[in-house]
Amino acid sequence: MTKTMIGVIGGSGIYDIDGLQDATWQSVESPWGAPSDQILTGTLDGVPMAFLPRHGRGHVHSPTTVPYRANIDALKRLGVTDVISVSACGSFREEYAPGHFVVVDQFIDRTFAREKSFFGSGCVAHVSVAHPTCPRLGDACYAAGQAAGITIHKGGTYLAMEGPQFSTLAESKMYREQWGADVIGMTNMPEAKLAREAELCYASIAMVTDYDSWHPDHGEVDVTEIIKTLMGNADKGRALVRGLPALLGADRAPCPHGCDRALEFAILTAPEARDPALMQKLDAVAGRMLTASS
Ligand SMILES: CSC[C@H]1O[C@H](OP(=O)(O)O)[C@H](O)[C@@H]1O
Ligand SMILES: Nc1ncnc2[nH]cnc12
């Protein structure tokens, strides 16, 4: 049995969390560059936690420039086992209304200007992301949301767009009507893919802030309205997070869905053909596999 450490990546409007015992902002160095910000560490109900504001305090990183690899690597380096992403999103479904939360379980990745893998020339790996989120962790988020009195929906497909501009009306209608997406945001990809490569369980909570641009009664997306809704949502997001340690517990059984073993059988490059410099960078993300197989 290993120990649980919960990592929370806070999106727009969530730049800290409260209630942590021994809370300290720590700098974490990563061979993948500087993370978005320092990481707030502490303990909640006896479970260690690490909080990272995705865009940095003061909202300095755009969805394209968020250092996704450094963020996931830094959380892994700190000992995080389970990552919860909390994000602002537009909704493609009438019944997923602004103020509601959605436990996302699928993604359509339309991002194109980001580094999407820790692996590459010198160490090639292919992990499965058929089921990109962890059902055990998602269920805990859903239960924590319900216990916090939040209107929360279980399951939804998140369309990750490059941004930073919002969608055109034609795109919004296509994503909703032809592609069957439920919510839209700009940040959960490649974050979810990288978490899988790093063998971290990953769950995503979408906080609905708007109806994107498709809804005939709601006009186009307006960032002022989004921020207003976010301010109401942010406290709910923090309440959900506060409920998680009690639900997950300090002792952690292996993930029944295999998220924490995702690299087994994924690395193709022969030990003697691997690039030593890349191997060094992979020490945290893939350390477990690299010591076992080389
Ligand atoms: C503030 S609206 C657009 C912005 O908000 C979302 O960020 P996050 O996912 O980090 O909450 C969205 O993806 C955009 O980056
Ligand atoms: N409509 C929208 N599109 C993309 N990202 C968002 N974040 C919040 N609302 C959004």
Side-chain angles (χ1 to χ4, degrees), residues 20-25 40-43:
L20 287 191
Q21 258 186 323
D22 302 319
T24 324
W25 286 97
L40 182 66
T41 57
T43 308

Side-chain angles (χ1 to χ4, degrees), residues 146-164:
Q146 284 196 310
I150 296 164
T151 304
I152 185 163
H153 306 276
K154 200 172 192 171
T157 297
Y158 173 120
L159 186 301
M161 62 178 296
E162 186 60 46

Side-chain angles (χ1 to χ4, degrees), residues 190-209:
E191 195 172 84
K193 288 175 174 169
L194 294 167
R196 177 59 53 80
E197 286 188 345
E199 300 193 318
L200 296 170
C201 290
Y202 182 90
S204 167
I205 307 299
M207 306 190 306
V208 176
T209 54

Side-chain angles (χ1 to χ4, degrees), residues 160-218:
M161 62 178 296
E162 186 60 46
Q165 303 85 358
F166 296 112
S167 315
T168 64
L169 177 58
E171 287 165 343
S172 192
K173 285 181 165 173
M174 181 182 75
Y175 297 152
R176 168 183 142 77
E177 291 164 20
Q178 266 97 54
W179 292 15
D182 299 303
V183 293
I184 182 163
M186 303 179 190
T187 60
N188 280 201
M189 283 291 172
E191 195 172 84
K193 288 175 174 169
L194 294 167
R196 177 59 53 80
E197 286 188 345
E199 300 193 318
L200 296 170
C201 290
Y202 182 90
S204 167
I205 307 299
M207 306 190 306
V208 176
T209 54
D210 55 273
Y211 278 114
D212 204 44
S213 51
W214 65 271
H215 200 299
D217 304 332
H218 288 269

Side-chain angles (χ1 to χ4, degrees), residues 86-189:
V86 186
S87 301
C89 287
S91 168
F92 289 129
R93 286 174 60 163
E94 186 82 52
E95 64 273 29
Y96 289 5
H100 292 191
F101 283 32
V102 181
V103 181
V104 169
D105 60 357
Q106 278 296 333
F107 295 102
I108 298 172
D109 186 3
R110 291 267 299 159
T111 65
F112 52 81
R114 307 169 188 192
E115 294 291 348
K116 297 200 181 189
S117 178
F118 290 107
F119 297 90
S121 291
C123 189
V124 177
H126 301 278
V127 297
S128 168
V129 286
H131 302 286
T133 60
C134 176
R136 177 171 73 174
L137 196 54
D139 286 351
C141 291
Y142 181 69
Q146 284 196 310
I150 296 164
T151 304
I152 185 163
H153 306 276
K154 200 172 192 171
T157 297
Y158 173 120
L159 186 301
M161 62 178 296
E162 186 60 46
Q165 303 85 358
F166 296 112
S167 315
T168 64
L169 177 58
E171 287 165 343
S172 192
K173 285 181 165 173
M174 181 182 75
Y175 297 152
R176 168 183 142 77
E177 291 164 20
Q178 266 97 54
W179 292 15
D182 299 303
V183 293
I184 182 163
M186 303 179 190
T187 60
N188 280 201
M189 283 291 172

Side-chain angles (χ1 to χ4, degrees), residues 5 7 9 26-37 39 50 52 66-81 83 115 117-119 190-200 202 263 277-288 290:
M5 182 170 185
I9 302 180
Q26 289 193 33
S27 299
V28 182
E29 282 190 23
S30 163
W32 301 94
S36 293
D37 201 335
I39 299 180
L52 175 59
V66 167
Y68 295 99
R69 292 193 297 189
N71 288 352
I72 294 295
D73 176 81
L75 292 174
K76 176 91 184 184
R77 229 164 254 286
L78 275 176
V80 164
T81 53
V83 176
E115 294 291 348
S117 178
F118 290 107
F119 297 90
E191 195 172 84
K193 288 175 174 169
L194 294 167
R196 177 59 53 80
E197 286 188 345
E199 300 193 318
L200 296 170
Y202 182 90
L263 285 176
L278 178 55
M279 303 321 291
Q280 217 167 353
K281 284 176 85 172
L282 288 167
D283 66 332
V285 159
R288 188 184 72 85
L290 298 175

